[in-house]
Amino acid sequence: MSQPPDGSPNTPLLDRADVRVKHATGISGAFEAFITRVKSGDLGFLPVIVGLLIICTVFQILNPVFLSSANIANLLFDSSTIGVISLGIVCVLMVAQIDLSVGSVSGFASALVGTLWVNQGWPVLLAIVAALVIGALIGAAYAFLFNWLGMPSFVSTLSGLLAFLGLQLFLLRSTGSINLPFESPLVSFGQLLTVPNWLSYALVALAAVGVFLTDYRIQQRRRTSGLSTQPMGTVAIKALAILVGLELIVFYLNQTRGVPWMFGLFVCLVIAMNYALKQTQWGRAMTAVGGNPEAARRAGINVTRIYMSAFMICSTLAALGGVLAASRLASASQQAGTGDVNLNAIAAAVIGGTSLFGGRGSAYSALLGIIVIQAISSGLTLLDLSSSLRYMITGAVLAIAVIVDSLSRRSRMSSGRG
Amino acid sequence: MSEHLESAVPRGEPVLSLRGISKNFGAVSALTDINFDVHAGEVVALVGDNGAGKSTLVKVLAGVHQPSAGEIFFDGKPVKLTDPSTALDLGIATVFQDLALCENLDVVANIFLGREKGPWHLDEVGMEIRSWTLLNELSARIPSVREPIASLSGGQRQTVAIARSLLLQPKLIMLDEPTAALGVAQTAEVLDLIERVRARGLGVLMISHNMEDVRAVADRIVVLRLGRNNGILTPDASNEELVSAITGATENSVTRRAGRRAQREHSNEASS
Ligand SMILES: Nc1ncnc2c1ncn2[C@@H]1O[C@H](COP(=O)(O)OP(=O)(O)O)[C@@H](O)[C@H]1O
Ligand SMILES: [Mg+2]
């Protein structure tokens, strides 16, 4: 037995007993560990944050309006709709599947809300719930085709793309588009409503305190259990950085329009999804299924149910994104969800660092990725450049993101980090 | 090493009984009419040549494959192992030959996969402590339980897979070539562990190609050949008996070599 018996005066910590392993300590140690991790291909959010900084610098130099408070508020409004769709894409990518129909499903959902609410006179909430339920059923259909008929998801969702686009055109066949009542809460939500200043500061403070307390409790428990701990300084600095950074951003936004409620909803969904993926048994199962479905099955995980949940969440969020897009545009049109919506939603997740190969990703990648895409789009619009250039630049950024994903995967393999 | 007496091992009730188990993959019959029992507090070794069907049998008992025919009794009751979670819930833990670990998850996540503490809010600290306890029991040399499995060596992974099988406090543990990737000290540790597990009254089904390991811990040796039962031996069976049961040949180069060695040893003993 290699471990010294317990009770000796300097019993090593439970996870520090192996003397051959170098363990970084303190704040400089944490930084060193970060560098080692990046070198071995575990890049995390580094590429997308570097990319965002470059994009902001370039556009700010070309047009000083770019980083103005009002423009950023606008950018956040625009990010929320596709961002919600992209959050669903993160889910299917986690289990190494894809949903190519999210654009069509979002367009179909907006047409459905327009028809049921405006044309049929349903209460707006009921119309939205109906659209979300139909979204969930669409996901269930994909999962059924995948689980029981073995149909690859890129094929089933490709046919879904066409089918639901057809349904959307059919619903709107007489008028081409349905205008949503301008004074309705749904439209103000998508165009005007922002979080009151005091509330925005309070929520950010609450988030920072929450992060600090969670980390503090974990470190406390690790200490009493004889596991290694982070120095309290690191914990405090992290929470303080979140507090100051976010309060400054909110303060800057509050100079003009403030923080859109719609963006607040998106961020709440991102936080909830992050919790679900990282802190629950379901999230663990999603990661396992994405990494090695057979190993997950042998561990007793109900793999078909995990695929089912991933596809259903994805199309439900796509439908929600469609409703938000309708509220943003104050209409449900035949163009909704077409064009680049689909690819932007998928690109955002990948640009944000969720792997196309499955088993590796984060809800925050939807948030960061969609901000990158919308920043490019907004910057080019400010420069009066046509959409042709926008497509080309977004395409190039996506290509870079996929290359980074592939290269980091390769370097993870060679340095053995899966 | 193998000095424990056959009769001294307390035999409990049969934990697991197989009656006429067969498994076909299309036209290939991987298993045909397999019968044997594993008792509580007993180590049964399953030996056989490559492709004899050992891993297939383990997978049938783990609920990974469904048998084409036959009955399985667990704790005296007939059971249908329709999926891996049924087997796990009954108390059948398995270390698969290919380990079945998720490379993208860390050691703690792999040990607790599917059985996490706190389904709605994972108890990471609790799981980490339990993982270290299990790994220390196996004298594992794992640098960090928070690194992805992909960064571990073959032996370390094998230890993680064994630690995982112990987590649920099963009634029967099946180990498919558990020492294949292990070094000398770790192999001894695993054999030690198998004896401790037996002492606790669990049933153990162990597959190994290493006859020394088999003789060291097994109470009975079940031989598979081409998917069929080819004899049930005791560990004091001679090497020739074992080899001929495994290969089906009554005489081949191995038995001849073994014969020569036995003769040599015999004459050595006589001269000393
Ligand atoms: N999934 C499968 N599909 C088809 N044939 C299989 C499958 N698994 C195993 N076999 C066949 O079953 C036989 C027994 O294999 P296996 O149980 O792995 O042998 P062992 O573990 O004893 O070396 C082999 O002939 C192998 O080709
Ligand atoms: Mg085998």
Side-chain angles (χ1 to χ4, degrees):
Chain A
M1 294 278 163
S2 57
Q3 306 305 328
D6 283 341
S8 64
N10 46 2
T11 308
L13 294 171
L14 203 49
D15 53 347
R16 290 289 186 268
D18 195 334
V19 290
R20 297 163 307 161
V21 186
K22 270 202 311 222
H23 291 287
T25 49
I27 295 171
S28 67
F31 183 72
E32 270 169 40
F34 170 75
I35 298 289
T36 324
R37 222 172 49 229
V38 168
K39 276 191 187 150
S40 66
D42 201 350
L43 300 177
F45 297 121
L46 191 65
V48 61
I49 288 175
V50 169
L52 196 56
L53 287 178
I54 294 173
I55 289 166
C56 289
T57 316
V58 170
F59 282 125
Q60 181 66 10
I61 291 169
L62 293 176
N63 186 339
V65 176
F66 181 72
L67 283 183
S68 69
S69 168
N71 191 49
I72 293 181
N74 211 28
L75 196 152
L76 295 185
F77 263 115
D78 287 336
S79 298
S80 311
T81 59
I82 303 186
V84 168
I85 303 176
S86 183
L87 198 55
I89 292 288
V90 169
C91 268
V92 285
L93 286 183
M94 277 305 279
V95 294
Q97 298 300 318
I98 189 69
D99 187 342
L100 297 173
S101 72
V102 284
S104 297
V105 170
S106 77
F108 175 51
S110 69
L112 210 59
V113 168
T115 313
L116 291 177
W117 177 34
V118 179
N119 291 1
Q120 307 287 324
W122 287 32
V124 58
L125 225 51
L126 198 62
I128 292 173
V129 169
L132 297 186
V133 168
I134 296 219
L137 291 178
I138 291 170
Y142 293 147
F144 176 81
L145 291 174
F146 177 78
N147 282 332
W148 284 283
L149 304 182
M151 194 164 170
S153 57
F154 77 91
V155 181
S156 59
T157 58
L158 195 60
S159 50
L161 184 160
L162 294 171
F164 297 113
L165 178 59
L167 272 176
Q168 177 188 356
L169 297 180
F170 175 77
L171 280 179
L172 301 173
R173 66 194 175 286
S174 50
T175 51
S177 75
I178 298 170
N179 290 325
L180 307 185
F182 219 79
E183 345 41 79
S184 65
L186 185 62
V187 173
S188 343
F189 180 75
Q191 300 200 332
L192 299 170
L193 291 183
T194 55
V195 183
N197 289 3
W198 67 268
L199 187 59
S200 62
Y201 295 126
L203 286 176
V204 166
L206 199 68
V209 170
V211 166
F212 179 76
L213 284 184
T214 319
D215 282 1
Y216 182 81
R217 277 212 204 102
I218 291 174
Q219 297 305 325
Q220 208 72 37
R221 246 200 99 192
R222 290 182 69 91
R223 191 188 326 262
T224 54
S225 316
L227 293 172
S228 64
T229 48
Q230 283 180 344
M232 275 308 156
T234 323
V235 173
I237 287 176
K238 179 181 158 199
L240 206 64
I242 290 175
L243 180 71
V244 174
L246 290 184
E247 290 287 13
L248 279 177
I249 293 174
V250 168
F251 172 77
Y252 188 62
L253 284 168
N254 281 342
Q255 296 313 299
T256 54
R257 299 182 64 183
V259 184
W261 265 119
M262 196 155 85
F263 186 69
L265 171 69
F266 174 40
V267 170
C268 284
L269 288 173
V270 168
I271 292 173
M273 181 67 79
N274 186 62
Y275 178 87
L277 285 174
K278 295 273 143 61
Q279 305 275 333
T280 69
Q281 190 170 38
W282 171 81
R284 207 30 79 69
M286 291 275 289
T287 318
V289 168
N292 186 344
E294 179 58 21
R297 187 173 89 87
R298 291 195 198 166
I301 291 172
N302 189 336
V303 176
T304 54
R305 209 158 66 196
I306 291 296
Y307 283 122
M308 178 67 81
S309 68
F311 281 112
M312 285 179 72
I313 289 173
C314 181
S315 345
T316 310
L317 286 175
L320 180 61
V323 175
L324 294 180
S327 82
R328 177 98 189 98
L329 298 170
S331 82
S333 74
Q334 290 190 328
Q335 277 72 48
T338 60
D340 54 358
V341 171
N342 230 344
L343 292 178
N344 277 349
I346 297 170
V350 178
I351 289 172
T354 291
S355 175
L356 284 168
F357 305 102
R360 183 174 284 274
S362 158
Y364 287 109
S365 60
L367 177 65
L368 292 169
I370 197 61
I371 288 180
V372 166
I373 287 181
Q374 286 300 335
I376 295 170
S377 159
S378 155
L380 292 174
T381 312
L382 288 178
L383 294 176
D384 256 339
L385 289 170
S386 67
S387 60
S388 56
L389 200 61
R390 201 182 80 220
Y391 283 139
M392 285 190 268
I393 293 186
T394 310
V397 170
L398 174 62
I400 293 171
V402 175
I403 291 168
V404 168
D405 182 22
S406 308
L407 287 183
S408 70
R409 177 177 142 101
R410 193 183 297 169
S411 103
R412 278 199 307 272
M413 296 254 205
S414 65
S415 61
R417 294 179 74 101
Chain B
M1 257 178 117
S2 55
E3 63 205 340
H4 59 79
L5 298 169
E6 242 321 87
S7 50
V9 177
R11 276 278 174 78
E13 294 292 298
V15 195
L16 178 79
S17 309
L18 307 188
R19 293 292 170 264
I21 291 293
S22 300
K23 174 69 189 170
N24 305 327
F25 293 109
V28 182
S29 349
L31 297 172
T32 316
D33 194 24
I34 304 292
N35 299 291
F36 69 86
D37 299 334
V38 181
H39 295 80
E42 182 189 39
V43 178
V44 172
L46 192 60
V47 300
D49 231 339
N50 284 328
K54 307 181 296 291
S55 296
T56 306
L57 184 58
V58 163
K59 286 180 188 162
V60 165
L61 295 176
V64 173
H65 293 322
Q66 301 312 306
S68 314
E71 272 187 305
I72 301 170
F73 296 85
F74 193 77
D75 271 346
K77 288 181 279 292
V79 288
K80 284 262 176 296
L81 303 171
T82 46
D83 54 29
S85 58
T86 315
L88 286 167
D89 290 341
L90 280 174
I92 304 178
T94 313
V95 178
F96 293 98
Q97 188 167 16
D98 56 5
L99 304 183
L101 299 169
C102 284
E103 305 243 312
N104 57 332
L105 292 175
D106 64 22
V107 173
V108 177
N110 266 290
I111 289 181
F112 278 87
L113 192 58
R115 293 289 184 275
E116 288 84 358
K117 287 190 185 183
W120 298 102
H121 183 87
L122 297 182
D123 175 12
E124 293 285 1
V125 179
M127 292 197 288
E128 188 166 337
I129 294 167
R130 184 91 179 91
S131 300
W132 279 116
T133 319
L134 284 168
L135 290 169
N136 287 345
E137 249 173 60
L138 293 167
S139 300
R141 303 302 242 122
I142 304 255
S144 162
V145 290
R146 288 299 177 192
E147 291 283 309
I149 284 284
S151 66
L152 300 184
S153 73
Q156 289 170 329
R157 291 178 199 208
Q158 200 131 33
T159 320
V160 172
I162 295 173
R164 174 161 86 183
S165 72
L166 295 174
L167 176 72
L168 294 176
Q169 317 218 303
K171 292 184 187 144
L172 173 75
I173 299 189
M174 299 191 290
L175 304 127
D176 195 348
E177 310 211 9
T179 56
L182 298 185
V184 180
Q186 275 262 284
T187 301
E189 210 62 63
V190 169
L191 296 184
D192 225 43
L193 173 90
I194 290 176
E195 298 202 312
R196 269 182 281 149
V197 165
R198 168 177 56 196
R200 274 197 259 156
L202 307 194
V204 180
L205 182 64
M206 179 184 78
I207 294 177
S208 178
H209 275 300
N210 187 330
M211 290 307 142
E212 256 180 68
D213 293 355
V214 167
R215 283 172 197 282
V217 292
D219 299 312
R220 278 184 311 142
I221 304 174
V222 174
V223 183
L224 282 194
R225 190 173 123 68
L226 303 176
R228 289 170 186 278
N229 260 120
N230 206 35
I232 297 181
L233 308 173
T234 51
D236 46 23
S238 70
N239 232 12
E240 293 94 282
E241 274 181 283
L242 252 177
V243 169
S244 66
I246 291 171
T247 60
T250 46
E251 201 193 4
N252 60 28
S253 64
V254 179
T255 56
R256 278 195 299 275
R257 221 173 324 123
R260 281 199 299 276
R261 194 163 51 227
Q263 253 172 2
R264 239 187 350 260
E265 273 165 16
H266 191 71
S267 56
N268 281 353
E269 264 166 39
S271 66
S272 64

